[in-house]
Amino acid sequence: MRGLFVVGTDTGVGKTEVACALLSLLAARGLHPRALKPIETGCSPDHPEDALALRAASGSPNDALTLDRVCPFRYQIPAAPLVAAEAEGRTVDPHVIDACVQAAQEAQEPLIVEAAGGLLVPLWREAGRVETNLDLAVRLGFPTLLVARAGLGTINHCALSLQALAAQGVKVVAVVLNRTTAPDDVSVGSNARVIAEMTGVRVVGPGPYAEDQAGRRSALMRLLTPPLDSLVS
């Protein structure tokens, strides 16, 4: 397994928790996974919470995986990366991201890359066009895991996202339905079945909701073991 790209149908669907669970699973197998969140917005540049959580889950010591290697672009404004960067008079350079990926490949370590926001969130401008997380998926060339919020509306969001990924030839390993709140609505019980039937893509979850972070991590690790096995076997 060279790498895996974790992207969402929306912001706040639990991508970081899913990526952390994947890193924990790989580390538990005796591997030395690397984490990359190329861009984080709405954070303290010196303390990007998502990126730091990913680094901790990977088990890599801080001096072996510097913050600039885990998250090279960090912005205070809680907005799409392109918008946040422009508001701060800065730009996202995709070639820096390429270099971070190349470093992991040269070390022959599996790489988990977490997107910022949903699939079509704008990231940067290149060659006169706005590029999104979908373009990043194509650029990486990794299998992709699509994270979605379990509940009303997720069928539409998943179907549209999967259609866009398929149109660009991106391989999707699975859709992960993540419980982000304790209460269920009536659609939760049928989400997985209908999404799988409509798209032909493997769907895992939703698992049980847990109030504490450790409980959520444990539940996600159980859900993610079968699709991860298909990549590392």
Side-chain angles (χ1 to χ4, degrees):
M1 173 183 160
R2 293 173 52 243
L4 184 66
F5 184 47
V6 179
V7 68
T9 56
D10 196 359
T11 190
V13 296
K15 295 184 305 298
T16 301
E17 289 189 332
V18 168
C20 284
L22 288 165
L23 288 161
S24 295
L25 282 170
L26 289 167
R29 296 177 184 214
L31 301 173
H32 301 283
R34 290 199 180 191
L36 174 61
K37 178 151 187 162
I39 313 161
E40 186 168 340
T41 65
C43 69
S44 164
D46 295 329
H47 193 85
E49 292 186 2
D50 290 353
L52 291 172
L54 292 168
R55 183 170 68 179
S58 74
S60 299
N62 294 358
D63 57 351
L65 198 55
T66 66
L67 190 54
D68 284 339
R69 279 288 177 89
V70 179
C71 187
F73 299 99
R74 310 183 290 273
Y75 304 104
Q76 291 184 337
I77 297 172
L82 176 66
V83 175
E86 289 184 344
E88 295 185 16
R90 300 160 62 194
T91 59
V92 175
D93 183 353
H95 301 293
V96 172
I97 299 170
D98 293 342
C100 292
V101 174
Q102 183 62 32
Q105 302 303 292
E106 289 174 355
Q108 297 185 326
E109 295 170 341
L111 178 63
I112 302 296
V113 183
E114 185 201 338
L119 183 64
L120 293 182
V121 164
L123 305 180
W124 60 73
R125 288 187 173 87
E126 189 172 47
R129 65 184 291 268
V130 172
E131 300 215 334
T132 68
N133 280 316
L134 178 57
D135 296 292
L136 179 57
V138 174
R139 190 181 194 103
L140 290 169
F142 294 160
T144 293
L145 202 67
L146 180 67
V147 183
R149 185 183 296 107
L152 190 63
T154 203
I155 293 174
N156 178 65
H157 295 161
C158 287
L160 288 172
S161 297
L162 291 168
Q163 187 177 67
L165 288 161
Q168 294 299 317
V170 177
K171 177 185 176 181
V172 178
V173 177
V175 173
V176 180
L177 291 177
N178 188 39
R179 265 200 177 92
T180 57
T181 59
D184 283 345
D185 63 57
V186 294
S187 72
V188 170
S190 59
N191 282 166
R193 173 177 54 81
V194 176
I195 293 167
E197 182 180 357
M198 288 177 63
T199 66
V201 174
R202 180 180 196 168
V203 182
V204 297
Y209 179 78
E211 291 289 346
D212 62 295
Q213 186 181 67
R216 291 193 300 273
R217 176 80 57 87
S218 178
L220 283 169
M221 288 174 71
R222 289 192 296 272
L223 284 178
L224 294 168
T225 294
L228 188 64
D229 284 344
S230 70
L231 293 174
V232 299
S233 58

